[in-house]
């Protein structure tokens, strides 16, 4: 439910702040086309969720593309993103140097709360990832993509 309200706020902000008149008909056309494609779908809830995801990303892009930000605000945002990336990289280096003993002990300590199959899958996943760094991401490739995006 919070994701629904976040998307509603994004759509409202996009229509309020995007001042270009040529952009609004395009947005309405895009949202109309996406809704039309939902009605032709066999999986209505899944298609609606996908449309909401796509439209919120497009509206966020347009919101930041056409909104004039002060230079100081942009510098603050870039510093924030770089600082977060440095923290994630430090945690990734910790994983590379020390491995995953904390994850294994967590799985062992909470084993009574996990199903046996879930416990085994988690152990196999941790063994497969040994030697690879994923920081706070689900997969090492996602972490690598994030680092490539942040450090061009």
């Amino acid at each position: 439910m919070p994701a629904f309200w976040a998307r509603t706020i994004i759509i409202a902000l996009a229509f309020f702040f995007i001042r270009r008149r040529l952009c609004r008909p395009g947005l309405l056309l895009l949202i109309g086309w996406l809704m039309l494609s939902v009605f032709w779908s066999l999986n209505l809830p899944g298609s609606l969720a996908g449309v909401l995801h796509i439209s919120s990303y497009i509206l966020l892009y347009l919101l930041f593309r056409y909104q004039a930000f002060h230079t100081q605000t942009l510098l603050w945002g870039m510093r924030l993103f770089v600082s977060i990336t440095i923290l994630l990289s430090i945690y990734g280096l910790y994983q590379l140097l020390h491995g995953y003993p904390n994850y294994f002990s967590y799985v062992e300590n909470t084993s009574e709360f996990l199903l046996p199959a879930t416990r085994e899958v988690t152990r196999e996943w941790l063994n497969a990832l040994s030697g690879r760094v994923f920081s706070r991401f689900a997969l090492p490739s996602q972490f690598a993509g994030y680092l490539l995006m942040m450090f061009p």
Side-chain angles (χ1 to χ4, degrees), residues 67-77:
Q67 185 65 26
F69 289 105
H70 193 269
T71 308
Q72 202 66 17
T73 306
L74 290 175
L75 286 175
W76 181 83

Side-chain angles (χ1 to χ4, degrees), residues 17-145:
F17 284 115
I18 295 174
R19 302 197 193 292
R20 293 202 170 192
R21 294 185 188 272
L22 295 175
C23 192
R24 286 188 183 167
L27 285 176
L28 291 175
L29 184 65
L30 173 71
I31 291 173
W33 179 257
L34 290 173
M35 287 300 155
L36 187 64
S37 69
V38 166
F39 293 121
W40 280 325
S41 173
L42 296 176
N43 182 7
L44 190 64
S47 295
L48 188 59
V51 162
L52 288 175
H53 279 25
I54 290 170
S55 62
S56 65
Y57 292 137
I58 290 170
L59 289 174
L60 268 177
Y61 167 75
L62 291 173
L63 179 66
F64 283 105
R65 170 67 175 89
Y66 292 116
Q67 185 65 26
F69 289 105
H70 193 269
T71 308
Q72 202 66 17
T73 306
L74 290 175
L75 286 175
W76 181 83
M78 287 191 299
R79 286 182 189 133
L80 177 70
F81 283 131
V82 169
S83 300
I84 290 170
T85 303
I86 289 171
L87 288 173
L88 288 170
S89 300
I90 289 171
Y91 186 64
L93 287 173
Y94 171 79
Q95 281 182 341
L96 180 67
L97 297 175
H98 296 285
Y100 309 103
N102 296 337
Y103 293 104
F104 284 116
S105 65
Y106 176 76
V107 170
E108 292 302 321
N109 291 338
T110 59
S111 61
E112 65 268 4
F113 300 114
L114 298 174
L115 295 171
T118 307
R119 191 177 329 123
E120 288 303 315
V121 167
T122 307
R123 281 193 194 124
E124 289 175 13
W125 182 68
L126 287 172
N127 285 330
L129 288 178
S130 62
R132 298 180 72 192
V133 174
F134 57 92
S135 187
R136 301 299 297 169
F137 289 83
L139 297 171
S141 59
Q142 293 173 347
F143 183 49

